[in-house]
Amino acid sequence: MKRTYRRFALALLASVALPMSAGAQGVGNASTTKGATAETVTTQLPRAVRPSHYDLTITPDAQAMTFEGQAAITIDVVEATRTITLHAADLAIAKAALTTKTGRKAGAPTVTLDTKAQTATFTFTKPVAPGSYVLSIDYAGKINTQAFGLFALDYKAADGSQKRALFTQFENSDARRFMPSWDEPFYKATFSLKTIVPTDEVAVGNLPVESRKDLGQGKTLVTFGTSPRMSTYLLFFSLGDFERKTVMVGDTEVGVLTKRGDLAQADYALKASADMLPWMNEYFGEKYPLPKLDHIAAPGRSQFFSAMENWGGIFYFENAMLLDPKIASNSLRERIFTVVAHEMAHQWFGDLVTMSWWDDLWLNEGFASWLESRATEKFHPEWHPELTALGSRESAMGQDAYVTTHPVIHPIKTVEEASQAFDSITYSKGEAVIRMLEAYAGSDEWRAGVQAYMKRYSHSNTVTDDLWREIDKASGKPISEIAHDFTLQPGIPLVKVTATCNAGSTAVALEQGEFTRDRAGKQPLAWRVPVRVAQVGGTAQAETLLQGKGALQVAGCSPVIVNAGQTGYYRVLYDPRTFAGIAKNIATVKPVDQLGILNDAVALGYAGNQPMADMLDLVKNLPADASPQVMERAASVIAGLAPYAEANPKRKAALTRFATARLLPVLKGLGWTPKADEPATAGELRATLIEVLGDLGEKTVVAEARRRFADPAAIDPSVKVAILGVVAKNADAATWDALHAMAKDETSAQVRTTLYSLLGRAADPALADKALALSLTDEPGLTTSPVIVSSVGAEHPERTFDFVMANYDAVMGRVDVSGATRYVARLSATSADPAMVGKLDAYAKQRLAAGSRRPVDEAIAKIQDRIKVAQTRLPEVDAWLAKAGY
C-alpha cells in the first residue's frame, strides 16, 4: 500500500516545522525467531483449523448497496474441536454446513457472531475429527461508501450521467467484511472467485477471466482463474463501466483500467509498468508469477492511502495513476511512476513473500519504498531520487525524534494497532534503514541476499530475521546486528564530530549520542552506526562502524562531511569551527550533502543543539545555481518559520522580506512557465516557490497569481495547482465563490477533488467556516469531504478540531474506518495552542480505546514542542533577521 504523501518540499516542511503523524490472543513479537510457523506467529484466532482454498461466489447489488455471497472453504482440522472460529464483520450468515471432501455431511453447526471481536464461531454437537473438510457458508454483506471492504465510488460520467463503481480494499483487516475468512496474513490459501454481475459492466479480479456465462435478464456469471497461495488482504474484486488497455511484456499481460473516457490518461502508468516489469523480474531473480498485472484507477480520494498492491489487480485512486492533462506536471509524473513502482515491488515483497504478522509490516512497506527509489534511479536518474530519499528520511525523523515514536518492528495486538502501523516509521524509516544497510553491505551483495530470500521463501510467510540471515550470508558483514539496533528500538543516533587538522591530515573524533526533541536527560540509546567521512571538494574519505566513540584520519585539511552521501540514518552535530568551514564552502559540496547538512542544521536548531543562525546562514549562502531540490528545501525552511510569525506582525514582515530576497530572484530566473531546456526537477521548484511566497503574502507573487487566475484555462498545467493554491489562501469572498463555481463545474474527477481541497486553504476564518460547512453537504462527494476538512485543518487546526467535535458522527461517517483514529489527531497536528492538549486528551479518553491513542499522543507531543520552540528558539530567529537587515 502506498501512503498519501505530499510533495517533496512540503513533506520536508511537515517533518520539521509542522510535524504530521498513520480482543487479541497474541504470542508476542516473532521477528527474531528462526522461520515462521503457525506456532510462532501472532494470531487472533484458535489454531486448530487452517484454510487451504476459498471458492467464492459474489453477487453485488450496487443500487441497494448490498451483496450476497457463497463461500466453500477447504479447511484442515489439525486437532479435534467442537468449534471453528474465523473472522466475519458486518456479515449476516444465513446457513452453514460442514462436509468431508467426498461430500459426506459432517454436521450443521450453530453460528454465533461476535461483533466486537469481528468473528463468527461455528459450534458442532460433537467434536470434528482431524482431517480435511469443506465449510460452506451462505451470507450477505453491505457495500460501504468509504474505502474498506467492498465499497462504492460514485462519479459523474463524461456524458453527464451518474455512475457507480465497486472496488475492494482489504488491508489490513477488512477481507472479513467481504467473506468469512481467516483474515490474517499468515493463513495463506488459494482463491477461486465467481461473480454474478450486470452484463454491460466489466468485472476485474486478481486473475484473468476464465469464462463468462449469460444468465439472462442482463446478468452474467464471470469466473476468474484460481490464484496462487496468498493472504486474504490481497484478494481483489472490482466492477464498473471500465475501459481496459493492455500490452504484453514477455508472457505477462500488463493492463490499465479506468472509467470510460479516461483511458488515454493511463498511458503513462502503462508504459512505466511495462518498462519496470522485466527489470524487477531480473532484480528479484524470481519471475512475476501471475499471467496478468492490471492497474485499476478509481475516482475519489482517501486520507490514508493512494494505492493498494492486490496481487495482479493493483488499485489506485486516480490522482496516483492518471496523468490528467489539465494539471500535468513533472511532479505528477514522478508521483505516478513512484506509486506504480511501489505497488509493483509489493508483488514480490508482500505478495509473493508475506510477513507473518503485522509486527513485520515494514517488510512490505519499507522495502517497497526503497525499491521505488531504486527503480527511479534506473529509469529516471534526472529526477535525482537520492535527493528525494532524504525527504522521506526527514519524514521518518520528524516522527522518530519524539518519545511517542515506536520501533520499526513492534508488537501488534489489535486491528486498530495494525492500522496505525501504516506510518512514517514503517515506510520512511524502513526505507532509510534499508538504504543504509545496502550501502554498508554493498549493492551486489545486498541484491544477492534479496534474491536468496525470495527463492527460499516464495509463496510463504516470513519474519524479518529470515531476511537478515540471507543478507549476512551474501555480504559477510554483521548486517543482522546493525539492523537489530535500528529496527528493534526507536530513535535516531546523534553523531558528534570534532575535526582537527595536523601536518596535512584531519583527525576526526566521533562520539555517539541520541537526537531527540523530548527525551533529553534520559539515558541515550545506543546503535552500531555505519559512518562515512569525506572531505569537502576532495576525494579523501574513510569509513567506520561507530559504537560509542571512534576516530578516523582523513588526508588533507579541508572541512570534512560526516555521513557523506547521506545513506546513514543519523543526525550529525559538528563542532562550531568545522561547521563554519562547511557553511563557507557550501557551494562546493555535492547536492546530496548540501541537503543532508541543511536538514541536520534545521533539526538540531529547532531542538536546541545548534544555533538557529546556522540553518539560516546555510539558506542565505546556498549558491544561485543550487540543485532545484536543495533550493526547494531552503524554501521550506523559510516556510516552516511562517506559522510562528502569524501572531507577530513584525516577525512576519521580516520573514517575508528574507523570503523575498532569497527566493524571489530564483522564481524570476525560472519564470512562471516551463522552459524547454530546464532540468526535469525545475518545475517542482517553480511550484514550491510560488506556494511559499504566495502563502507568505509576497505582494508581487500574489498579484501575479490573481492575474493568471482571471483566465484559468491559460495557466500552464505544471503550476496550475500552485497558482490556484495561492489564490485560495489569499481569497476574499468573491474569489472563494469563483473557485467554488470552478469546482462544481469541473468534469475531471481528479481536478474536481483538488479544487474542493483548495477551498479549505483560505486564511480568512469566515471562508474556512464556509468550507467546513460545505464538507457536510452532498455536493463534494463522500470521499472528498474529509479532504476539505483536512485542508482547513492545516490552516485553522483549532477551528477545525472544534468543528469535528461538534459534528463528530457526520464527519467521521465520511472517513475510512481503518484510519478513523488517526484522522482527528492529524487535524490538530499544526496547532501551537496549549488548550489543544487538553482537548485532544479529552477526545482520546472519550472516543478511543486505550491501545488506540498513539496518534493523539504524537500530536500532543508535537504541539508541546511547538510551544517550546516559539518560546526558546524563535528569539534567535528574530535576532538573525535583524542582524541581516531584514
Side-chain angles (χ1 to χ4, degrees):
M1 184 186 291
K2 180 69 173 179
R3 288 185 69 223
T4 300
Y5 287 107
R6 302 175 71 185
R7 298 175 68 249
F8 172 72
L10 298 184
L12 285 171
L13 165 62
S15 71
V16 176
L18 306 175
M20 297 187 303
S21 55
Q25 179 183 334
V27 296
N29 182 358
S31 297
T32 57
T33 64
K34 292 188 176 181
T37 67
E39 288 69 36
T40 62
V41 298
T42 305
T43 182
Q44 293 177 317
L45 295 173
R47 302 177 186 276
V49 181
R50 300 170 191 170
S52 61
H53 178 72
Y54 294 83
D55 192 335
L56 302 168
T57 301
I58 302 296
T59 306
D61 185 337
Q63 295 309 308
M65 295 292 281
T66 60
F67 69 93
E68 294 181 351
Q70 294 82 43
I73 311 172
T74 304
I75 60 174
D76 294 315
V77 177
V78 296
E79 58 184 67
T81 178
R82 288 189 61 237
T83 61
I84 296 175
T85 299
L86 43 64
H87 287 112
D90 297 332
L91 299 179
I93 296 176
K95 63 179 181 178
L98 188 69
T99 60
T100 65
K101 296 189 74 173
T102 61
R104 181 175 58 83
K105 292 184 178 180
T110 58
V111 183
T112 304
L113 297 176
D114 185 332
T115 56
K116 184 176 181 180
Q118 299 183 344
T119 59
T121 298
F122 301 83
T123 304
F124 298 86
T125 56
K126 60 181 180 179
V128 179
S132 295
Y133 299 87
V134 175
L135 178 62
S136 299
I137 307 169
D138 290 356
Y139 63 98
K142 65 180 183 180
I143 299 174
N144 300 296
T145 57
Q146 298 296 324
F148 62 96
L150 177 62
F151 67 99
L153 292 174
D154 293 343
Y155 64 94
K156 184 181 292 187
D159 63 4
S161 63
Q162 286 296 124
K163 294 281 189 177
R164 175 169 290 171
L166 304 182
F167 307 90
T168 57
Q169 168 58 29
F170 295 155
E171 192 178 31
N172 48 276
S173 304
D174 286 319
R176 64 193 66 180
R177 302 179 191 275
F178 185 72
M179 59 187 178
S181 56
W182 281 258
D183 192 19
E184 297 176 2
F186 182 78
Y187 289 108
K188 286 192 170 188
T190 55
F191 292 81
S192 296
L193 177 63
K194 305 179 187 70
T195 182
I196 298 173
V197 298
T199 301
D200 60 352
E201 295 191 358
V202 176
V204 189
N206 302 83
L207 276 292
V209 173
E210 280 193 346
S211 66
R212 291 182 175 86
K213 181 181 179 181
D214 186 359
L215 302 179
Q217 298 183 326
K219 297 291 185 180
T220 295
L221 174 65
V222 178
T223 301
F224 297 99
T226 300
S227 77
R229 292 181 69 248
M230 65 183 188
S231 302
T232 51
Y233 77 90
L234 298 170
L235 185 66
F236 180 71
F237 168 69
S238 183
L239 176 68
D241 184 20
F242 301 141
E243 293 182 294
R244 184 170 185 251
K245 186 175 184 178
T246 64
V247 61
M248 292 302 297
V249 179
D251 56 0
T252 303
E253 184 181 68
V254 179
V256 289
L257 290 98
T258 70
K259 63 183 191 294
R260 188 169 301 280
D262 288 349
L263 195 57
Q265 295 181 27
D267 284 345
Y268 183 79
L270 179 60
K271 184 180 185 306
S273 178
D275 288 345
M276 283 188 281
L277 184 57
W279 177 76
M280 289 190 181
N281 282 335
E282 181 181 359
Y283 187 89
F284 286 116
E286 291 284 322
K287 184 178 175 296
Y288 174 75
L290 276 63
K292 79 163 177 82
L293 177 58
D294 275 331
H295 305 265
I296 302 99
R301 188 87 50 102
S302 169
Q303 293 292 290
F304 308 104
F305 77 104
S306 54
M308 174 59 203
E309 66 267 19
N310 313 294
W311 215 358
I314 303 173
F315 170 90
Y316 301 80
F317 284 106
E318 287 180 342
N319 65 328
M321 180 180 150
L322 300 188
L323 188 63
D324 191 316
K326 293 182 179 180
I327 52 173
S329 64
N330 191 69
S331 177
L332 182 55
R333 291 181 182 90
E334 185 174 350
R335 171 176 166 78
I336 292 168
F337 181 90
T338 55
V339 174
V340 170
H342 183 103
E343 303 309 327
M344 287 181 64
H346 274 311
Q347 305 300 294
W348 287 266
F349 260 109
D351 297 5
L352 182 64
V353 182
T354 312
M355 80 264 141
S356 296
W357 183 248
W358 301 108
D359 295 11
D360 287 294
L361 175 63
W362 91 289
L363 275 175
N364 290 9
E365 301 301 349
F367 277 85
S369 299
W370 160 76
L371 200 72
E372 76 181 59
S373 293
R374 291 298 306 269
T376 307
E377 177 185 296
K378 167 68 176 178
F379 293 97
H380 290 287
E382 74 277 10
W383 294 345
H384 298 289
E386 73 280 5
L387 302 182
T388 305
L390 295 195
S392 177
R393 188 180 73 183
E394 286 303 292
S395 176
M397 288 183 170
Q399 180 177 351
D400 211 17
Y402 293 88
V403 71
T404 51
T405 188
H406 63 84
V408 171
I409 303 169
H410 65 292
I412 299 292
K413 298 184 180 69
T414 68
V415 167
E416 186 51 47
E417 288 179 7
S419 297
Q420 291 179 357
F422 291 82
D423 64 4
S424 291
I425 299 300
T426 298
Y427 285 75
S428 299
K429 183 174 181 178
E431 175 192 359
V433 169
I434 292 165
R435 289 182 71 241
M436 177 177 66
L437 295 174
E438 181 193 22
Y440 184 71
S443 58
D444 291 341
E445 292 79 3
W446 180 266
R447 179 181 175 184
V450 168
Q451 289 184 342
Y453 171 79
M454 286 293 161
K455 183 177 181 65
R456 180 171 182 179
Y457 296 106
S458 175
H459 298 287
S460 300
N461 296 84
T462 61
V463 292
T464 297
D465 270 10
D466 295 329
L467 174 64
W468 295 151
R469 281 191 294 274
E470 302 301 331
I471 304 292
D472 282 347
K473 292 175 191 174
S475 68
K477 293 183 177 180
I479 298 300
S480 294
E481 296 177 9
I482 302 169
H484 287 163
D485 288 349
F486 281 89
T487 61
L488 297 179
Q489 65 180 358
I492 307 165
L494 175 65
V495 176
K496 301 175 184 179
V497 180
T498 304
T500 308
C501 179
N502 269 310
S505 67
T506 301
V508 183
L510 305 171
E511 182 180 356
Q512 184 198 125
E514 179 184 354
F515 173 75
T516 178
R517 299 286 283 262
D518 61 357
R519 259 179 48 88
K522 298 183 179 180
Q523 180 66 34
L525 301 172
W527 296 261
R528 279 157 281 206
V529 183
V531 174
R532 179 179 298 166
V533 180
Q535 278 188 327
V536 170
T539 58
Q541 62 179 36
E543 297 182 14
T544 188
L545 185 62
L546 179 64
Q547 292 180 268
K549 293 184 179 181
L552 290 170
Q553 200 78 18
V554 182
C557 283
S558 298
V560 294
I561 295 172
V562 175
N563 201 10
Q566 302 300 313
T567 57
Y569 186 81
Y570 55 92
R571 296 284 186 204
V572 180
L573 176 61
Y574 296 94
D575 67 84
R577 181 177 176 181
T578 300
F579 186 85
I582 293 172
K584 182 179 178 181
N585 293 277
I586 195 68
T588 65
V589 174
K590 295 178 181 178
V592 69
D593 289 321
Q594 287 179 336
L595 191 52
I597 291 164
L598 180 55
N599 286 342
D600 284 341
V602 171
L604 292 164
Y606 273 88
N609 303 103
Q610 194 169 341
M612 294 287 273
D614 285 355
M615 76 175 190
L616 294 168
D617 285 339
L618 286 174
V619 169
K620 183 180 179 181
N621 295 334
L622 282 170
D625 61 349
S627 161
Q629 284 149 298
V630 175
M631 192 56 70
E632 273 196 273
R633 179 59 173 129
S636 80
V637 171
I638 298 173
L641 292 168
Y644 296 100
E646 285 299 324
N648 187 327
K650 181 179 179 181
R651 180 182 294 161
K652 184 172 183 178
L655 187 64
T656 302
R657 286 191 290 270
F658 175 44
T660 301
R662 172 72 274 212
L663 303 179
L664 191 57
V666 182
L667 177 57
K668 288 180 177 179
L670 285 171
W672 284 63
T673 56
K675 298 180 177 67
D677 59 346
E678 69 183 19
T681 53
E684 287 96 313
L685 174 58
R686 178 182 293 110
T688 295
L689 294 175
I690 292 171
E691 290 172 359
V692 170
L693 288 166
D695 283 359
L696 283 168
E698 202 287 320
K699 293 180 179 179
T700 63
V701 170
V702 173
E704 182 63 13
R706 286 172 171 162
R707 186 187 73 79
R708 292 173 183 262
F709 177 61
D711 185 12
I715 300 175
D716 188 88
S718 67
V719 292
K720 190 166 189 174
V721 175
I723 289 173
L724 294 180
V726 171
V727 170
K729 175 70 179 285
N730 296 278
D732 56 18
T735 304
W736 194 94
D737 288 341
L739 281 166
H740 186 195
M742 284 178 62
K744 287 193 290 186
D745 294 342
E746 180 56 55
T747 57
S748 163
Q750 183 179 164
V751 177
R752 185 173 183 270
T753 299
T754 300
L755 289 170
Y756 274 110
S757 72
L758 292 176
L759 290 173
R761 291 204 59 200
D764 184 338
L767 297 178
D769 288 342
K770 286 184 69 173
L772 290 171
L774 178 64
S775 73
L776 294 187
T777 69
D778 294 335
E779 180 191 312
L782 287 174
T783 65
T784 301
S785 289
V787 179
I788 298 174
V789 176
S790 294
S791 185
V792 179
E795 302 290 338
H796 306 275
E798 298 84 13
R799 201 178 206 89
T800 306
F801 181 88
D802 292 344
F803 172 83
V804 172
M805 292 300 101
N807 301 276
Y808 190 80
D809 291 339
V811 173
M812 300 309 289
R814 292 163 161 80
V815 175
D816 297 358
V817 168
S818 62
T821 61
R822 291 170 280 168
Y823 184 73
V824 173
R826 288 180 179 182
L827 293 177
S828 62
T830 59
S831 176
D833 182 356
M836 184 57 71
V837 173
K839 289 181 179 181
L840 277 168
D841 186 60
Y843 155 74
K845 289 176 179 176
Q846 179 184 359
R847 300 281 186 177
L848 303 181
S852 300
R853 63 170 288 153
R854 181 167 56 82
V856 168
D857 291 337
E858 289 177 336
I860 289 173
K862 292 168 184 177
I863 291 168
Q864 291 171 333
D865 181 70
R866 275 191 293 280
I867 294 168
K868 182 175 69 174
V869 165
Q871 295 170 346
T872 64
R873 310 305 295 148
L874 267 294
E876 290 186 25
V877 174
D878 294 337
W880 186 91
L881 290 169
K883 184 177 180 181
Y886 298 114

